[in-house]
């Protein structure tokens, strides 16, 4: 029986895989926004924010890989492409260079959207008794919630 590389399994239509795909899109856009902030931040907080953004986008990249590999382990294929990610994530991207404070505030919004979608992923995985995906969602939620706390602390 021959199959093609472009054939998606019926698992791809599952609510868990859909939630994983949504998280993948959110995190890819968030990584891009964080990387852009890393490149373009200026001002008195440059050194601390430049370093923090670097650490954050690298962590997000690693998390993206875990999500994509989880999708593959469920016998589905992660959807790719920057246009797809931008559309699916629905996270606004700045059109200009921002102040340090505005970069941080924008990243808080993007993380909070990601947290909402990761909560859906956790709940769908729980409903499906997919403990591995639920565990991944919990790990990611903890990281994003901690990052939001740190970013909000900077804004005070």
């Amino acid at each position: 029986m021959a199959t093609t590389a472009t054939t998606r399994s019926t698992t791809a239509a599952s609510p868990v895989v859909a939630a994983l795909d949504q998280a993948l899109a959110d995190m890819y856009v968030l990584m891009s926004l964080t990387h852009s902030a890393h490149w373009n931040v200026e001002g008195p907080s440059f050194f601390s924010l430049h370093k923090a953004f670097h650490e954050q986008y690298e962590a997000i990249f690693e998390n993206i890989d875990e999500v994509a590999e989880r999708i593959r382990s469920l016998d589905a294929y992660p959807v790719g492409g920057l246009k797809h990610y931008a559309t699916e994530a629905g996270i606004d991207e700045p059109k200009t260079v921002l102040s340090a404070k505005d970069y941080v505030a924008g990243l808080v919004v993007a993380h909070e959207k990601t947290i909402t979608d990761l909560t859906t992923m956790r709940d769908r995985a729980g409903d499906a008794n997919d403990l591995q995906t639920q565990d991944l969602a919990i790990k990611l939620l903890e990281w994003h919630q901690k990052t939001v706390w740190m970013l909000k602390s900077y804004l005070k």
Side-chain angles (χ1 to χ4, degrees), residues 14-24 67 117 120-122 124:
S14 81
V16 172
V17 172
L20 283 158
D21 274 331
Q22 181 63 56
L24 190 64
V67 170
D117 290 335
T120 299
M121 183 176 116
R122 181 202 61 204
R124 287 183 182 175

Side-chain angles (χ1 to χ4, degrees), residues 54-127:
H54 178 86
E55 292 168 359
Q56 289 170 16
Y57 77 72
E58 284 188 337
I60 296 167
F61 184 79
E62 289 178 19
N63 292 338
I64 287 168
D65 198 52
E66 285 190 57
V67 170
E69 289 175 355
R70 183 68 194 146
I71 293 168
R72 290 298 294 129
S73 71
L74 294 173
D75 197 31
Y77 295 90
V79 179
L82 298 176
K83 185 176 180 179
H84 168 78
Y85 292 144
T87 301
E88 288 301 310
I91 297 171
D92 291 331
E93 299 175 344
K95 306 275 188 264
T96 62
V97 174
L98 303 175
S99 69
K101 189 174 183 176
D102 287 340
Y103 276 125
V104 172
L107 291 175
V108 167
V109 170
H111 277 281
E112 287 177 338
K113 200 280 187 185
T114 303
I115 288 168
T116 297
D117 290 335
L118 287 170
T119 301
T120 299
M121 183 176 116
R122 181 202 61 204
D123 295 347
R124 287 183 182 175
D127 292 344

